[in-house]
């Protein structure tokens, strides 16, 4: 079974100032400060991240940050795994960890294995990091597990997997079927046949499902306006976005946000 996160880099490092002080992370990232502090502005909110604090950055949210006093921190760089059949939403910005014993225990074990090279230690080290992200997601959602599944766990067709990757990468655009087929060197009939066989959905229905999944993450995880979220999900018209969302979830986007944001 595919896991929800793919780890790219992890280390403990020092900074007098960040190499990149504004923009977006190329991937998701987690910072746990052991010393020092930095100022963070994200999604219209400014806060100070100090020793003992945790901050999470998404790959689609703008930030501005600057070091106040030299920082030493654990840095975890990761990505959502598109092959996983479910997703775990994460909080953004400064994160208040409720179960600090569990959180710090995983960090301590991770640091103890920092320089290990044997396969067993590498597996356990990533397990500790994975549990950190699972904990943050669980506390953030109040124990609700993201229920949106896309059937990829049982999909073995490489063409469908490639198509899903292109769809997820281009979710903010129009995603025309003809252009998708050209990029995959196939035709609409073949691609729709394979999607229905593997995922029980047409390509168009799958694209809508992915737009809705992105919308729920942004509604719960950011303070973007519904208009902005509609645009980030590939809808030029908020009316069409709201109609599609209500059809999928039974409530308006604003109601979904108030119900699940916590």
């Amino acid at each position: 079974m595919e896991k929800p996160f793919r780890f790219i880099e992890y280390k403990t490092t020092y900074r007098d100032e960040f190499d990149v002080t504004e923009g977006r992370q190329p991937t998701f990232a987690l910072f746990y400060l052991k010393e020092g502090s930095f100022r963070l502005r994200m999604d219209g909110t400014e806060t100070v991240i100090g020793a003992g604090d945790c901050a999470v950055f998404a790959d689609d949210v703008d930030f501005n940050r600057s070091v106040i006093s030299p920082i030493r921190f654990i840095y975890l760089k990761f990505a959502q795994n598109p092959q996983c059949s479910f997703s775990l939403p994460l909080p953004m910005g400064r994160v208040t960890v409720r179960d600090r014993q569990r959180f710090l225990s995983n960090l301590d074990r991770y640091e103890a294995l920092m320089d290990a090279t044997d396969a067993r230690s590498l597996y356990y080290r990533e397990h500790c990091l994975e549990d950190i992200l699972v904990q943050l997601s669980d506390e953030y959602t109040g124990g609700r597990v993201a229920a949106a599944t896309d059937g990829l766990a049982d999909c073995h067709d490489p063409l469908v997997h490639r198509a899903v990757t292109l769809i997820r990468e281009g979710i903010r655009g129009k995603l025309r079927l003809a252009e998708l087929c050209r990029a995959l060197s196939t035709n609409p009939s073949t691609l729709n046949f394979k999607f229905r066989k593997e995922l029980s959905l047409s390509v168009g229905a799958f694209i809508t499902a992915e737009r809705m999944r992105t919308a729920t993450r942004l509604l719960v995880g950011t303070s973007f306006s519904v208009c902005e979220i509609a645009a980030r999900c590939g809808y030029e018209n908020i009316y069409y976005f709201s109609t599609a969302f209500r059809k999928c979830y039974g409530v308006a986007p604003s109601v979904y946000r108030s119900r699940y944001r916590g």
Side-chain angles (χ1 to χ4, degrees), residues 219-257:
L219 285 165
V220 174
T222 77
S223 295
F224 292 141
S225 69
V226 175
C227 259
E228 172 68 7
I229 290 172
R232 287 171 179 262
C233 295
Y235 289 90
E236 295 179 352
N237 186 306
I238 190 173
Y239 170 77
Y240 292 125
F241 168 67
S242 297
T243 300
F245 192 92
R246 187 185 294 273
K247 182 177 179 181
C248 184
Y249 295 103
V251 296
S254 58
V255 174
Y256 186 96
R257 166 174 273 171

Side-chain angles (χ1 to χ4, degrees), residues 60-153:
D60 58 358
V61 178
D62 294 320
F63 66 80
N64 186 290
R65 62 192 181 189
S66 59
V67 171
I68 299 171
S69 58
I71 55 177
R72 183 166 69 92
F73 59 97
I74 292 173
Y75 173 61
L76 171 59
K77 187 177 178 182
F78 62 99
Q80 301 274 4
N81 182 1
Q83 306 304 324
C84 185
S85 60
F86 61 92
S87 61
L88 295 180
L90 290 168
M92 297 299 143
R94 187 175 183 273
V95 178
T96 300
V97 179
R98 292 199 290 271
D99 187 350
R100 289 193 64 81
Q101 182 177 356
R102 173 184 171 185
F103 182 78
L104 294 175
S105 176
N106 275 316
L107 283 177
D108 288 343
R109 290 174 183 143
Y110 155 73
E111 288 194 286
L113 297 169
M114 181 88 70
D115 299 320
T117 56
D118 62 286
R120 183 189 179 109
S121 295
L122 293 177
Y123 170 81
Y124 191 53
R125 186 169 67 196
E126 288 210 354
H127 172 75
C128 293
L129 296 175
E130 186 174 69
D131 193 56
I132 287 171
L133 297 182
V134 169
Q135 178 188 347
L136 294 184
S137 178
D138 191 49
E139 291 185 351
Y140 174 56
T141 60
R144 296 185 308 274
V145 176
T149 62
D150 55 26
L152 286 183

Side-chain angles (χ1 to χ4, degrees), residues 22 28 54 59 108 138 141 173 176 195 197 203 214 217 231:
E22 61 181 270
F28 282 73
C54 177
D59 60 358
D108 288 343
D138 191 49
T141 60
R176 293 184 175 89
F195 262 71
K197 179 182 177 182
V203 177
T214 301
R217 182 173 66 82

